[in-house]
Amino acid sequence: MDTEGTYDARGTGAERVPRPAGPPPAAPPPPTYAPQPRRPAADGPGVEEWLRTPRPVREPGVWRYGHVPRPPEKPGGVSDRSLLVGVLISVLSGLLLWSLWRNGYIPYRLVPLKLFTPGDWWYAGTFGGPRTIEGADALTVYEAVLFGLLVYGCGRLGNWSEIFRRHVAGRGQPFLGLATAAGGALAELLVWKDAVPLVRPVLILVASVAGGEIYQSQTVVNVIYALIALGVLWPFARLGRWRELAAARRGRAAAVPDAPAGPPDAPTPEQWPELREAGMRDAAEALTAEVRTGRMNDVDVARLRHAWSVGRGHPERLAALTEAVLRTGGAAALHPSGARDLARRTVRHDLLTGQVRIGSCTDDPHNPYARRGSGVALEPALLGTSLLAVGPPGAGKSARLVRPVVESLALQALAGRAAVLAVGGAGGELGPDDAFDVVVRIGDPASVHDFDLYGGTTDPDEAAGVLAEGLVGDVTHLDSRRAATVLAQLLGPYRAVHGHFPGVPALRELLDGDTAAIDALREALGAGGHQSMLRELEARTRQKGGAGDPGPVLADRIALLDRPAFAPFFATGDQARPFSLRSLEHLPLRVRIDLPERAHAEASRLLTRLVLAQFTAVTAARTDRSLFVCLVLDDATHTVTAETVRGIRRLRSVNAGALLTLRTVDDVPEGLHTALLGAVGCCMAFSGVTTWDGKRFAEVWGKEWVETREVAQHAVFADQPFTRALHGLRKLVTGKAVTRDAVTVRRVERERWSASELAYQVPPGHAVLSVTTVEGEHAPPLLVTLDG
C-alpha cells in the first residue's frame, strides 16, 4: 500500500500484520481517485468550518470544540425582585422628600444656608425666605446641590448600580448603547423642562464668576447651553461606552469596501499555514483546494498534519510527502489498510484535539459552577493514565463508554497517531468488523487470525514470565515467579529442538510430566548437543512432584485451552497463523479480539489476563514511543493481578494506556483494591454501584473544604409587660413562640462524594468521572450525563 514512507520510516512495514480481517479497500490510483463521502462528524459542519471553529485550552476533560465559557455566576443574596422593589421604593421616597422640600414642609430647611450667607439676604425668623435677588440665587444653587445629594443617596439605598449591571450592562452592545441613549434623552428633557434643577443654577454660578454682562452675547449663551447639554449626556456616554460602539460600527462598515480580493495576509487554518511557513506553498495550495471542494474529511486533515509533524526532522520523508500530496491530494500518506474513514460514527469526535465527547456535566451542586452544562470528553492525554470504570450490568459501560473510546482510537489509528486493541465477548458492542484491521475470533473456525500465546517473543524466559502471569496470576497462594521458572525449563528445551515454542497439546503433555514426551525431548536435546537446555529439563524432572510444585496448577490451567473448540487455535510452527501484539509496536493498527465468554468463561478470563500481561510487557519494551497504544478490556473480571497492576502504573510513562471495566471492585482480589485504584489516573462510577464500591471511590476522591451555615432558633424572653403582651398575642395568632435565629458559619472538610450519594443519588444514564492528565493535572469528580 502507498504510505509515502509515513509508516515505513519506523522500520516496519504492513507485511508484519498476517492478514486483515477482511479484504482491505484497494489504494486509489495516484493520478486520479474517487473521493469517498467526507464529513468531520455525523450531521456536523463542513471541514472548512470545522477547521475554523475555536478550541480554547480548558481544564482536563472539557469538550474543547466550540467551547463557550459559562457566564459568571450571579451574586447570591439579593434577587432581581428585591432589587426592583428597592429601586421603586427609593424613587418614591426621593420624590416624596423632594415634594416636601419644595412645598416647605421640612422645618429648618434654610438654616444651613443662612449660616454661610449674609443675614441681610433673608427675612428674619427661622422660616424667613430670601429678601434680595442674591438670596434667591443662593437658594436656587442650594436646592440644586441638595437635589444632587438626594439623587445620590436614593441611588445608593436602592442599589441602582447593581440593577444596571445585571439588566443593562450585562446584555452587552448594542442594547447597552441604546438604553443609555434613551436615558440620556430623558435626562435632557427633564433638565430643559426645569424638572431637574440644573440650568438655572449653572447660569447663576457663571454669572457670579464672570459677571452678568456675559449674557449680553447670544453666542456665549448658546455655548453655555451646549456645554450643559453635553455635560448631561457625558455620564450616559461613559456608562454606555458610546465611543467603543461607534468605533466598532466604523470598523465593520470600513471592512466591507476595503476587504482584499485575494487571501488575507494571515492564512486561516484551512489554508495550511504550517506548510506555507515551511516554504511548501504548492502543497498548501493543493490541500486548500481539497478542503474547499469537499474532497477531504477530518481524518485526512489529522493524518496529513501528523505526517507533516513526523517528517519535519527528515527532509527526504518531507520531500516524499510533498510529492504525494501534489500527486494524490488528500489521499496521501494513507493508513496501511487504505481506509480514510469509518463506515459509521455513533458519537462526536474532534480529531484535531483527539477528543471524543461522551456526555455533559449536569447542573448539580457537586459540580463546579463553571463546569455545569459543559461537554465532557476523553483523549489520549487522559487515557494515558488509564481509566477504571465500575458499574452493574446494564449501566451503559459498553455502549456509552467503551464503544465511543474504541471508535475514537480507531479514527486516530486511521490518522496514524494511535493503535487500539479492544477485547470483549463475541457479539459485543466494540464495533463492526470493517472498523478493524485485524479481528481475532477465538473459538470460531471462520476466524482468519489466531492468537499468539507467547506474544511474538523468541526469548523463553520472557515468554514464560508472560504466560505464567496469564495462567496462574490470579492464584493467590502460588508465586508466579516459580511458575515462570517451571515454564522456562520446558519452553527453552522445546524451542532449542523444534525452533518454535510448543503448542497447547504439547505444552500440556510436558507440564503433566508425560514420560514419552519428556524422554523424546531429552533424546533430541542430547542428539543436538544442547547441554545447557538438557540441564534445564533435568532440573524440571527432579522438581516435579515436590512440595509447592506449580506444575499441576499450570497443567490444569493450560488444559482449559486444550479443548476441541480451540483445536485450530494457538498453533505454533510454520503452519501457524497467529497474531502477535508486537505488531502494535510501530503500526497504527485497529485490533479486536472476541472471546467465547458464554461457552468457555474460565478460558476467556485466562486469555484476558494473558492479553493484559502481554500488553504491559510489549508497551514497556518499545523503543519508539511516538505512537499512542491503548488496550480496552470490555470486562476485566478476574483479570487484574499484582504484576499487571504494576504494569498499568508504568503505562503513562511509555505513551500507552488501558481502559478497564468492572461490574464491581470485588471482581479484583481484595488485596489489590487500593493498588488498582491508585494505579489508574481516571475513575468512573456508574449509576447503581453498591455502597461498598462507593466507599472505595469516596476514599480515592478524598475530601474538600466547604462552608456550612447552621441556623439555631432561640426563644426570645421579654422583660417589659407591653413586650410580653405583644409576644403572647403573636403566639396566640401564629401558634409559635417568638424566636430569633442564630447563624453559625464554619469551614469543614467533607467528602466530595460519599458512598451513599454514589449508591443512591446518581441517576440512571449518569456517572461520576474524575480525570488526570499524563502531566499530572487533575479535575474533580463530576456528575456526567452520558449522552455521547
Side-chain angles (χ1 to χ4, degrees):
M1 299 176 187
D2 187 11
T3 62
E4 286 81 30
T6 305
Y7 306 107
D8 299 339
R10 295 188 176 98
T12 62
E15 65 275 7
R16 290 196 58 181
V17 184
R19 278 180 294 171
T32 60
Y33 61 94
Q36 305 171 10
R38 300 288 171 236
R39 78 272 191 246
D43 302 327
V47 178
E48 188 172 355
E49 181 183 350
W50 172 76
L51 281 169
R52 291 186 176 186
T53 302
R55 294 164 174 84
V57 178
R58 304 299 299 173
E59 298 82 4
V62 176
W63 173 251
R64 293 170 51 191
Y65 178 79
H67 175 75
V68 177
R70 193 178 187 189
E73 187 174 6
K74 292 184 178 180
V78 182
S79 63
D80 291 343
R81 180 178 179 182
S82 300
L83 281 176
L84 292 174
V85 171
V87 170
L88 181 60
I89 291 176
S90 64
V91 171
L92 293 178
S93 301
L95 292 175
L96 177 61
L97 288 174
W98 185 244
S99 176
L100 294 175
W101 171 273
R102 296 296 297 268
N103 291 285
Y105 289 103
I106 298 179
Y108 309 107
R109 62 190 186 96
L110 299 181
V111 171
L113 180 61
K114 293 180 179 181
L115 292 176
F116 295 96
T117 54
D120 56 356
W121 288 7
W122 310 97
Y123 289 108
T126 304
F127 296 96
R131 175 186 294 176
T132 62
I133 296 177
E134 290 83 357
D137 292 343
L139 179 59
T140 301
V141 175
Y142 177 60
E143 288 181 344
V145 173
L146 290 180
F147 182 82
L149 294 176
L150 179 63
V151 171
Y152 176 78
C154 291
R156 291 296 300 271
L157 292 175
N159 207 0
W160 294 2
S161 60
E162 179 61 27
I163 201 168
F164 177 81
R165 281 194 296 268
R166 288 195 191 182
H167 298 284
V168 180
R171 300 182 63 174
Q173 299 286 13
F175 180 82
L176 175 60
L178 294 175
T180 52
L186 178 61
E188 291 283 1
L189 179 63
L190 295 176
V191 166
W192 296 110
K193 288 293 184 179
D194 207 22
V196 174
L198 180 63
V199 177
R200 291 184 60 196
V202 171
L203 295 176
I204 292 172
L205 290 176
V206 171
S208 64
V209 174
E213 296 81 4
I214 194 174
Y215 295 119
Q216 294 179 1
S217 173
Q218 185 62 36
T219 303
V220 173
V221 174
N222 293 337
V223 170
I224 294 175
Y225 284 164
L227 292 176
I228 293 174
L230 292 176
V232 172
L233 291 178
W234 181 78
F236 293 94
R238 288 290 303 273
L239 290 174
R241 299 195 291 270
W242 293 358
R243 180 182 298 178
E244 299 176 10
L245 180 60
R249 292 288 181 180
R250 285 197 304 269
R252 280 196 292 267
V256 175
D258 296 340
D265 295 336
T268 52
E270 75 276 6
Q271 294 177 327
W272 300 82
E274 63 274 14
L275 297 184
R276 297 177 187 272
E277 292 176 1
M280 302 167 60
R281 189 174 185 84
D282 294 339
E285 292 291 346
L287 293 178
T288 302
E290 293 277 301
V291 170
R292 291 179 173 174
T293 55
R295 294 197 297 266
M296 288 182 66
N297 67 351
D298 54 345
V299 178
D300 296 330
V301 173
R303 185 184 68 252
L304 291 175
R305 285 194 171 190
H306 176 71
W308 158 252
S309 64
V310 170
R312 273 187 299 185
H314 306 276
E316 67 282 357
R317 299 177 193 170
L318 203 57
L321 178 62
T322 304
E323 180 184 356
V325 168
L326 296 176
R327 197 163 27 102
T328 62
L334 281 179
H335 184 265
S337 67
R340 297 172 63 180
D341 201 354
L342 299 179
R344 178 174 177 268
R345 302 188 189 185
T346 59
V347 292
R348 297 181 62 188
H349 303 272
D350 183 24
L351 290 178
L352 284 189
T353 58
Q355 290 187 319
V356 53
R357 181 186 172 103
I358 63 172
S360 58
C361 291
T362 62
D363 191 1
D364 187 86
H366 287 92
N367 295 340
Y369 174 82
R371 293 298 305 270
R372 297 174 191 173
S374 63
V376 177
L378 296 175
E379 56 184 304
L382 303 178
L383 296 175
T385 63
S386 299
L387 190 152
L388 176 66
V390 179
K397 300 188 298 298
S398 298
R400 301 186 179 187
L401 174 65
V402 174
R403 175 68 182 271
V405 169
V406 172
E407 188 175 288
S408 174
L409 293 172
L411 288 172
Q412 295 186 55
L414 293 179
R417 302 187 305 194
V420 57
L421 173 60
V423 182
E429 301 180 354
L430 298 180
D433 292 352
D434 57 6
F436 297 92
D437 303 310
V438 176
V439 178
V440 181
R441 299 183 178 90
I442 298 179
D444 185 355
S447 177
V448 177
H449 295 284
D450 194 354
F451 181 70
D452 188 355
L453 293 178
Y454 304 101
T457 184
T458 57
D459 184 359
D461 292 324
E462 182 181 352
V466 175
L467 184 58
E469 192 63 33
L471 292 177
V472 296
D474 61 327
V475 181
T476 57
H477 65 274
L478 183 62
D479 189 356
S480 60
R481 291 174 296 181
R482 294 192 59 189
T485 301
V486 171
L487 288 172
Q489 290 173 343
L490 298 175
L491 297 181
Y494 190 94
R495 179 176 176 78
V497 172
H498 299 280
H500 57 80
F501 293 122
V504 170
L507 181 58
R508 181 182 180 185
E509 290 179 353
L510 294 175
L511 289 172
D512 282 333
D514 183 77
T515 305
I518 295 295
D519 292 343
L521 184 58
R522 183 183 294 110
E523 292 177 3
L525 289 172
H530 304 289
Q531 297 301 320
S532 59
M533 292 300 173
L534 184 59
R535 287 194 298 270
E536 287 283 291
L537 183 61
E538 293 298 340
R540 171 59 198 149
T541 304
R542 290 192 303 269
Q543 296 170 1
K544 180 180 178 298
D549 180 21
V553 180
L554 290 170
D556 291 341
R557 288 298 177 88
I558 203 66
L560 295 172
L561 304 180
D562 190 16
R563 306 297 301 160
F566 303 139
F569 290 83
F570 315 124
T572 57
D574 297 334
Q575 302 301 321
R577 50 175 188 176
F579 169 76
S580 171
L581 264 62
R582 292 192 178 273
S583 300
L584 300 173
E585 289 185 352
H586 305 291
L587 291 175
L589 291 180
R590 303 165 294 165
V591 183
R592 192 186 78 202
I593 299 179
D594 294 342
L595 301 175
E597 291 182 344
R598 297 180 180 177
H600 303 276
E602 192 61 32
S604 298
R605 294 170 184 171
L606 186 152
L607 291 171
T608 306
R609 283 195 303 273
L610 184 58
V611 169
L612 180 57
Q614 287 188 6
F615 179 82
T616 55
V618 168
T619 53
R622 288 192 306 165
T623 56
D624 182 6
R625 297 171 179 174
S626 59
L627 194 69
F628 177 73
V629 184
C630 188
L631 169 66
V632 180
L633 295 183
D634 193 24
D635 184 6
T637 302
H638 301 296
T639 299
V640 179
T641 64
E643 184 60 33
T644 54
V645 168
R646 287 189 285 269
I648 291 173
R649 189 179 290 112
R650 293 192 297 265
L651 290 179
R652 69 176 66 188
S653 62
V654 296
N655 197 22
L659 190 158
L660 313 177
T661 66
L662 296 171
R663 295 182 177 91
T664 173
V665 181
D666 290 331
D667 289 337
V668 176
E670 185 175 0
L672 296 177
H673 289 175
T674 303
L676 176 61
L677 291 171
V680 297
C682 306
C683 295
M684 196 169 186
F686 282 75
S687 61
V689 297
T690 64
T691 52
W692 291 274
D693 290 341
K695 180 181 179 181
R696 297 181 180 96
F697 281 107
E699 293 175 351
V700 171
W701 289 328
K703 300 179 179 180
E704 62 179 345
W705 288 98
V706 297
E707 189 176 88
T708 62
R709 294 171 58 90
E710 297 179 357
V711 181
Q713 292 184 340
H714 301 283
V716 177
F717 299 98
D719 298 330
Q720 302 298 325
F722 181 72
T723 307
R724 285 199 298 269
L726 289 179
H727 287 185
L729 179 61
R730 180 177 175 181
K731 183 176 181 181
L732 181 63
V733 174
T734 62
K736 297 181 180 179
V738 179
T739 60
R740 66 164 177 259
D741 294 339
V743 181
T744 303
V745 180
R746 296 187 302 171
R747 284 180 57 83
V748 297
E749 197 175 19
R750 287 185 178 176
E751 293 177 328
R752 299 178 185 271
W753 281 88
S754 67
S756 298
E757 289 174 334
L758 290 172
Y760 302 112
Q761 294 187 14
V762 179
H766 293 65
V768 180
L769 170 67
S770 67
V771 295
T772 305
T773 65
V774 291
E775 290 82 10
E777 189 176 359
H778 296 266
L782 305 171
L783 182 61
V784 178
T785 302
L786 299 174
D787 56 1

